[in-house]
Amino acid sequence: MCGIVGYIGEKNAVEIIMSGLHRLEYRGYDSAGVAVIHNGAMACVKSLGKLVALDAKLEENTLAGRIGIGHTRWATHGAPSERNSHPHFDGPMEIAVVHNGIIENFQELREQLKSEGAEFRSDTDTETIAHLVRKYYTGDLFAAVKRALADVEGAYAIGVIAQDHPDLLVAARHGSPLIVGLGAGEAFIASDVPAIMKYTKDVLYVEDGHVCAITRDGCRVEDLHGNPVAVTPSHVDWDEAAAEKEGYPHFMLKEIHQQPDVIRNTLRGRVEEGSDAVSFPDMNIAEEELEACQKIVIVACGTAWHAGMVGKYLIERFAQVDVELDLSSEYRYRDPAVPPNTIMIPVSQSGETADTLEAIRVAKRKGARVAAIVNVVGSSVARESHGVIYQQAGPEIGVASTKAYTSQCTALALFTIWLAQIRAQMTKDEAQGMIAQLRELPDKMQWILDHQEDIVRCANDPKYRDAQSALYLGRSYNFPSALEGALKLKEISYIHAEGYAAGEMKHGPIALVTEQLPVVCVAVQGDTYEKMVSNIQEIRARNGTVLSIATVGDDRIRAHSDDVLYVPACPEPFSPILVALPVQLLAYYIAANRGCDVDQPRNLAKSVTVE
Ligand code: M6R
């Protein structure tokens, strides 16, 4: 998704903007640009492709200024090209705009503006905003932006500067993420905190419908009607190093290795040492509501949906509540039945996923209470939900979600223990036992990270590394592990991969089995182990290549498998949290061996803020 960075202060705006844009590269983009005001004149440089191309152009074409805006574009309207890259301008090129989101009525606005004499230079929806601001501009940029936005339908986060106003940066938000950073004698705008954390940790999360007049001395906020809005900045705890790779070749690998600490963090503050009591201070759903709850609906996308599936299995088994799991993009359009006493649990790392936000709105309109599991504090999902369980996983930069997944599964496990006790489905002793097992997971994860040799060896083995396609099978709690393993492999290595419930194998996918098809079988100890072994034997009988993921000490499975990756013993309901590591690492090393851009896979964006 697009990334925005803006600056006003006494330093070199271009340097700060480019450094911020580099920090937002994880969001995915296809072109970039920067505009500044210098000596009373607007200047701009744009480039197609990665930021290194823009860096090179900037070296030739030195831009200077103390105020500016920059952008990385992920194409929605108009092909990736230099002319479609941001910033976009009004007719005389005196007003510059960067935008993240989609203007839904842009065709209508474009026709209207053209009929009034505007000449467009791009195919983008964004350019309409620049012409609209010009249309309403009578010397007051802040007023013109507010008036222009009143005509706009859709989602936006914008930054606007004007040649006549070298001391003013205007920003606004409706449906796309935007923050304002406040420093001493300087201020910033950005799509996300890592872009500016090098300069300030005092951050204002801009709310939908708010417009900001930003100067070197601070930020004034009004709604679109000009009513003043009181705002309080937050202090961000993440340190700068948290957003860096810390010596790993990729963010993804760093984030995989962070998982033992991440799980400790997710548990932190929720369970006391030696206690059976779970508490979620921000959840904001009363125990009586949980007691009365008839149905839980979990909505999410991608990896978060797989975590949601682990949650469904846990909640149904231990709390005995009916759980409906849906993809947010399906839920929002299918006019779902929402009976009284329904609780929705949206799951989202970024908290900005457009479909998940809309699913929340649908459920709220129909009377559901919404308690979200979210990583990014202050994100849209967190703010639009009645309550929230923060994952406490720290920033996830790699496009492929890793630590967010295991932390979502852990948060759902904790929620299950809490809910099961409230609904008298679990005794204090049982709860204490399960919490103790959760607490053991970080050390077990560390064991996997300390014993990666077999994973590295398999990822180097041509039968896996050079495969055209792969199948992942799992049952029960590890059906989501199979889905997640396949998603990880396909998204970063571009090997086609399918995840299946192993019980479905004979209903279709077995037709694919040949020597050339690696089948990753999750066969950890538990209720479905013997069934998995039968599946494995059926694959081997057809000359399939089997890579099993099994429990340490299980030597029997070696006889049935070409290779085995081991995870420490753990109760089956929590095993997906461990199995996630070998499937993530296998995908990572295969992708790295194939020379793929692991952190920014082609066509993918970290945060899917448009449909
Ligand atoms: O930010 P979210 O958790 O809402 O994102 C959901 C998906 O877009 C995300 O998990 C995506 O599938 C990742 N690329 C998976 O690695």
Side-chain angles (χ1 to χ4, degrees):
M1 297 297 109
C2 305
I4 290 175
V5 182
Y7 176 75
I8 182 166
E10 295 307 327
K11 298 182 187 138
N12 180 341
V14 178
E15 242 175 67
I16 289 171
I17 290 166
M18 290 307 293
S19 134
L21 291 179
H22 276 286
R23 300 296 285 274
L24 294 182
E25 281 195 285
Y26 65 88
R27 298 168 69 87
Y29 66 100
D30 48 58
S31 55
V34 55
V36 291
I37 303 166
H38 185 48
N39 290 338
M42 183 76 77
C44 173
V45 175
K46 299 181 183 188
S47 175
L48 182 63
K50 295 284 178 188
L51 282 173
V52 282
L54 184 60
D55 284 328
K57 271 193 162 183
L58 284 166
E59 264 179 39
E60 286 167 20
N61 188 342
T62 324
L63 277 194
R66 307 280 171 231
I67 175 169
I69 48 178
H71 189 266
T72 43
R73 173 174 188 254
W74 191 75
T76 54
H77 294 80
S81 66
E82 201 169 303
R83 66 187 281 274
N84 284 334
S85 61
H86 301 213
H88 289 286
F89 295 89
D90 64 328
M93 295 199 68
E94 291 170 358
I95 297 170
V97 176
V98 288
H99 164 227
N100 175 12
I102 290 180
I103 306 303
E104 283 162 9
N105 60 339
F106 92 99
Q107 280 296 9
E108 207 177 303
L109 291 172
R110 191 176 167 107
E111 291 318 310
Q112 175 66 30
L113 288 159
K114 273 184 177 173
S115 73
E116 292 165 7
E119 284 180 22
F120 281 75
R121 301 182 184 90
S122 76
D123 310 317
T124 63
D125 51 343
T126 304
E127 196 182 342
T128 54
I129 303 175
H131 290 285
L132 272 177
V133 174
R134 162 59 60 186
K135 173 173 167 178
Y136 294 118
Y137 181 69
T138 54
D140 181 344
L141 181 65
F142 190 46
V145 172
K146 282 183 286 181
R147 178 61 193 87
L149 291 177
D151 288 356
V152 164
E153 289 165 21
Y156 56 79
I158 58 166
V160 187
I161 55 172
Q163 194 169 281
D164 294 349
H165 293 267
D167 298 318
L168 180 65
L169 168 58
V170 180
R173 173 200 157 121
H174 183 80
S176 297
L178 187 71
I179 57 154
V180 176
L182 301 167
E186 59 185 359
F188 311 78
I189 59 168
S191 301
D192 201 355
V193 177
I196 59 161
M197 58 165 49
K198 191 168 155 190
Y199 307 103
T200 182
K201 288 183 180 167
D202 292 321
V203 163
L204 202 63
Y205 290 95
V206 182
E207 299 274 343
D208 278 354
H210 289 179
V211 191
C212 311
I214 303 157
T215 64
R216 289 169 180 82
D217 303 321
C219 173
R220 178 164 60 92
V221 183
E222 290 184 5
D223 66 17
L224 286 182
H225 309 291
N227 301 309
V229 179
V231 286
T232 319
S234 316
H235 189 75
V236 180
D237 285 336
W238 296 345
D239 61 2
E240 216 186 298
E244 300 284 2
K245 290 185 199 148
E246 287 170 4
Y248 290 98
H250 296 99
F251 282 112
M252 182 181 175
L253 191 59
K254 179 186 121 183
E255 286 157 5
I256 290 173
H257 280 82
Q258 285 178 325
Q259 289 176 106
D261 280 342
V262 164
I263 301 311
R264 286 185 192 102
N265 268 338
T266 304
L267 297 174
R268 191 157 290 143
R270 276 77 190 258
V271 279
E272 301 275 314
E273 195 65 54
S275 156
D276 54 67
V278 180
S279 69
F280 292 117
D282 296 325
M283 181 133 175
N284 209 20
I285 306 267
E287 293 202 356
E288 302 74 60
E289 290 178 85
L290 291 166
E291 261 170 319
C293 167
Q294 297 295 309
K295 181 178 178 181
I296 288 176
V297 180
I298 299 180
V299 289
C301 304
T303 287
W305 184 72
H306 301 154
M309 193 180 289
V310 174
K312 171 186 163 74
Y313 284 30
L314 287 168
I315 295 168
E316 287 189 337
R317 155 106 182 257
F318 292 104
Q320 288 292 303
V321 183
D322 177 28
V323 180
E324 180 183 329
L325 170 74
D326 209 347
L327 295 161
S328 309
S329 53
E330 289 297 311
Y331 187 85
R332 65 180 286 189
Y333 286 118
R334 71 180 168 82
D335 196 12
V338 179
N341 301 321
T342 293
I343 294 178
M344 170 179 268
I345 305 182
V347 184
S348 175
Q349 187 287 129
S350 63
E352 300 296 344
T353 302
D355 284 324
T356 301
L357 274 167
E358 201 47 47
I360 292 170
R361 290 168 193 148
V362 168
K364 276 169 81 178
R365 277 200 295 275
K366 292 184 176 226
R369 290 283 285 169
V370 180
I373 293 183
V374 182
N375 192 31
V376 177
V377 177
S379 60
S380 303
V381 167
R383 284 182 285 115
E384 292 204 22
S385 300
H386 297 110
V388 60
I389 298 175
Y390 282 120
Q391 294 175 224
Q392 302 178 173
E396 189 179 67
I397 307 290
V399 165
S401 190
T402 53
K403 62 177 182 172
Y405 172 70
T406 45
S407 121
Q408 284 159 351
C409 293
T410 305
L412 282 158
L414 266 186
F415 173 77
T416 301
I417 296 167
W418 189 44
L419 182 68
Q421 288 187 89
I422 290 169
R423 295 175 69 94
Q425 296 292 325
M426 190 181 280
T427 64
K428 278 177 179 293
D429 282 354
E430 284 164 342
Q432 207 158 354
M434 287 184 77
I435 290 167
Q437 286 155 359
L438 279 178
R439 285 186 186 285
E440 287 176 11
L441 291 177
D443 288 344
K444 293 179 178 179
M445 288 176 142
Q446 194 57 54
W447 184 91
I448 300 169
L449 295 171
D450 292 342
H451 295 82
Q452 292 183 35
E453 312 77 33
D454 285 335
I455 305 175
V456 172
R457 181 182 50 74
C458 288
N460 270 314
D461 185 330
K463 68 178 182 286
Y464 302 116
R465 185 196 59 208
D466 301 336
Q468 296 289 310
S469 161
L471 185 61
Y472 283 69
L473 299 177
R475 283 176 183 259
S476 178
Y477 295 98
N478 283 300
F479 168 35
S481 302
L483 294 172
E484 178 59 8
L487 176 60
K488 285 289 90 78
L489 186 70
K490 84 179 96 176
E491 70 179 332
I492 60 168
S493 75
Y494 315 139
I495 295 174
H496 171 248
E498 295 282 345
Y500 257 92
E504 280 290 290
M505 191 180 84
K506 291 202 208 56
H507 299 281
I510 198 166
L512 296 172
V513 174
T514 65
E515 254 177 82
Q516 277 72 49
L517 182 84
V519 187
V520 179
C521 297
V522 185
V524 291
Q525 294 298 320
D527 293 346
T528 58
Y529 174 75
E530 291 300 338
K531 300 270 177 216
M532 278 308 303
V533 172
S534 301
N535 287 128
I536 289 171
Q537 285 167 333
E538 285 154 4
I539 297 162
R540 294 271 281 183
R542 287 158 184 83
N543 293 322
T545 302
V546 172
L547 171 52
S548 295
I549 298 178
T551 306
V552 169
D554 180 0
D555 294 329
R556 177 184 156 208
I557 205 147
R558 282 193 184 280
H560 305 300
S561 315
D562 292 83
D563 295 285
V564 184
L565 305 178
Y566 284 108
V567 297
C570 127
E572 195 180 16
F574 297 155
S575 63
I577 300 171
L578 295 185
V579 170
L581 274 68
V583 298
Q584 293 165 356
L585 286 164
L586 183 69
Y588 171 79
Y589 287 119
I590 289 178
N593 286 339
R594 289 164 68 101
C596 300
D597 188 348
V598 174
D599 281 336
Q600 289 172 59
R602 71 179 174 220
N603 304 336
L604 281 178
K606 179 66 184 163
S607 175
V608 185
T609 55
V610 292
E611 275 189 79

